[in-house]
Amino acid sequence: MQTATLHGSSAMSRPLAITAEQQRQFDEDGFFLMEDALSPAEVEELIDVVDELYAKYRKERGLGQHDPFQIRNIVAIHPRFRAMIDHPKILPLVVDVMGYNIQIRTSHMDVRPPMRPEDTQKGLGAKDSFFPWHSDAPNFGWPTVDGVIPLMEMKVGYYLTDLTQHNSGAICVVRGSHRRRQKDGDGNYIVDPADIVEVNVRPGAALVWRTALLHAVTPNLASHARKCLYYGYNHRWIRPSDYDHQEPSVLEGCTPVQLQLLGELGTGSTLYNGEDPLVHPVSRYWRPSDEEIPLKAWAEEQAGQ
Ligand SMILES: O=C(O)CCC(=O)C(=O)O
């Protein structure tokens, strides 16, 4: 088992869940795959929720049979989606990569029905295509160091339907594109076809990736809709993109670890700026006390098992 010392003032050594090979792929390629991250029963349960929500929104929003649909902040929409934030196979890997002081930045469900061939004529990821190449970033971009985006966040994609066929709506990532400048002098993304990886996976697979990777989506020419979920994790001192605070009804019944991941501090709303907010305010997202970082105790306990 790999061991490492995590960064930060509360650093300590503990055994890691991530393997040396996963860490190498994450650093060099920008992603790794976990086949069978979800059991068939988990896939089935999640598909039931996706189908129920998709049917509801399709009706409410008048979506046509070919229209793709995405909904964000799914952790607030359904308890089954909320339960995915601390999935026991995945969260230890997230903690090994990002450290303890993290939260959910975004969560989304995506349904991509079969497309009409006439809507798929542009090249993969072309600027004028249905899904241009991009990396995920806030407006005005992430900071860069020598033109390269440091590790700001990671995402986990859970694929619920069969994507083994070429052009079945799978995500494509550009291997290693997080380690270099991404645009040429004309502002166009630099994509070497040899580096494109189409994530052709079976239901239940997960993609663990850096969102700094350039990515696009293949057209869905299969006969079935593509259904997947994404959860993005970043540091707590960065603001989430899907919420400022989750509604009290969303937080009700959550464990301390889930509360942390949902952006809460665990000590109530009066102590967000510390014990002496008038004279010595200090954001608890910046300097969490032990009670405000249950993920640390959780990770250490997991490592001990
Ligand atoms: O797989 C997909 O549908 C694309 C996902 C994506 O662009 C993202 O999560 O940022």
Side-chain angles (χ1 to χ4, degrees):
M1 186 179 280
Q2 217 192 342
T3 59
T5 301
L6 290 172
H7 27 264
S9 57
S10 58
M12 65 168 297
S13 287
R14 60 171 175 78
L16 298 183
I18 195 166
T19 66
E21 176 56 15
Q22 286 171 332
Q23 185 72 61
R24 186 199 65 72
Q25 288 178 31
F26 191 76
D27 291 340
E28 290 178 19
D29 299 338
F31 69 97
F32 62 87
L33 277 170
M34 282 185 77
E35 302 285 347
D36 305 318
L38 304 178
S39 68
E42 284 176 296
V43 170
E44 205 174 308
E45 274 171 42
L46 291 165
I47 286 203
D48 283 350
V49 179
V50 170
D51 287 348
E52 179 191 315
L53 289 169
Y54 181 56
K56 169 174 137 53
Y57 285 102
R58 207 178 147 187
K59 195 163 164 202
E60 273 178 26
R61 309 242 155 174
L63 301 177
Q65 61 165 325
H66 298 290
D67 292 333
F69 179 67
Q70 180 186 76
I71 184 162
R72 294 254 169 184
N73 202 28
I74 53 170
V75 295
I77 298 222
H78 199 284
R80 188 65 190 82
F81 288 161
R82 192 147 63 243
M84 294 297 287
I85 63 177
D86 57 345
H87 193 283
K89 269 196 191 166
I90 298 293
L91 187 61
L93 305 176
V94 175
V95 174
D96 288 348
V97 169
M98 299 294 293
Y100 308 126
N101 200 21
I102 56 169
Q103 67 193 352
I104 292 285
R105 190 269 292 177
T106 185
S107 55
H108 48 108
M109 162 188 124
D110 294 78
V111 178
R112 188 165 287 281
M115 294 171 73
R116 284 181 292 246
E118 61 266 33
D119 295 334
T120 65
Q121 300 306 310
K122 311 284 179 190
L124 175 68
K127 255 187 186 166
D128 54 352
S129 70
F130 71 94
F131 207 104
W133 291 113
H134 68 282
S135 60
D136 294 354
N139 285 8
F140 312 110
W142 294 115
T144 56
V145 181
D146 296 331
V148 174
I149 303 166
L151 174 57
M152 302 302 290
E153 65 172 19
M154 68 185 292
K155 221 170 190 179
V156 182
Y158 294 100
Y159 305 107
L160 306 177
T161 48
D162 187 73
L163 293 167
T164 52
Q165 194 186 321
H166 171 55
N167 279 347
S168 51
I171 190 171
C172 292
V173 291
V174 181
R175 191 193 296 277
S177 53
H178 63 296
R179 291 195 289 145
R180 58 164 173 81
R181 198 168 49 87
Q182 296 187 330
K183 285 186 177 173
D184 64 18
D186 297 325
N188 296 314
Y189 284 112
I190 306 163
V191 177
D192 181 341
D195 294 330
I196 299 175
V197 179
E198 182 175 350
V199 180
N200 292 126
V201 287
R202 286 181 290 120
L207 172 72
V208 180
W209 58 298
R210 296 176 183 240
T211 52
L213 275 184
L214 290 176
H215 54 283
V217 168
T218 63
N220 185 4
L221 303 182
S223 54
H224 58 276
R226 176 218 193 205
K227 299 169 189 171
C228 61
L229 308 174
Y230 281 99
Y231 294 80
Y233 298 80
N234 68 8
H235 293 109
R236 265 164 136 192
W237 33 263
I238 300 176
R239 299 186 71 84
S241 61
D242 287 4
Y243 61 95
D244 288 316
H245 284 285
Q246 300 287 3
E247 293 296 322
S249 60
V250 172
L251 304 173
E252 212 177 287
C254 286
T255 66
V257 166
Q258 290 171 336
L259 289 175
Q260 170 179 335
L261 293 173
L262 292 169
E264 290 304 302
L265 288 174
T267 48
S269 56
T270 54
L271 288 177
Y272 277 82
N273 288 315
E275 306 283 349
D276 191 357
L278 292 181
V279 175
H280 190 185
V282 55
S283 164
R284 296 294 213 202
Y285 294 114
W286 183 263
R287 292 207 196 293
S289 65
D290 280 352
E291 312 86 78
E292 286 152 356
I293 189 147
L295 203 46
K296 180 168 179 285
W298 179 87
E300 286 163 4
E301 196 185 306
Q302 295 271 313
Q305 279 169 14

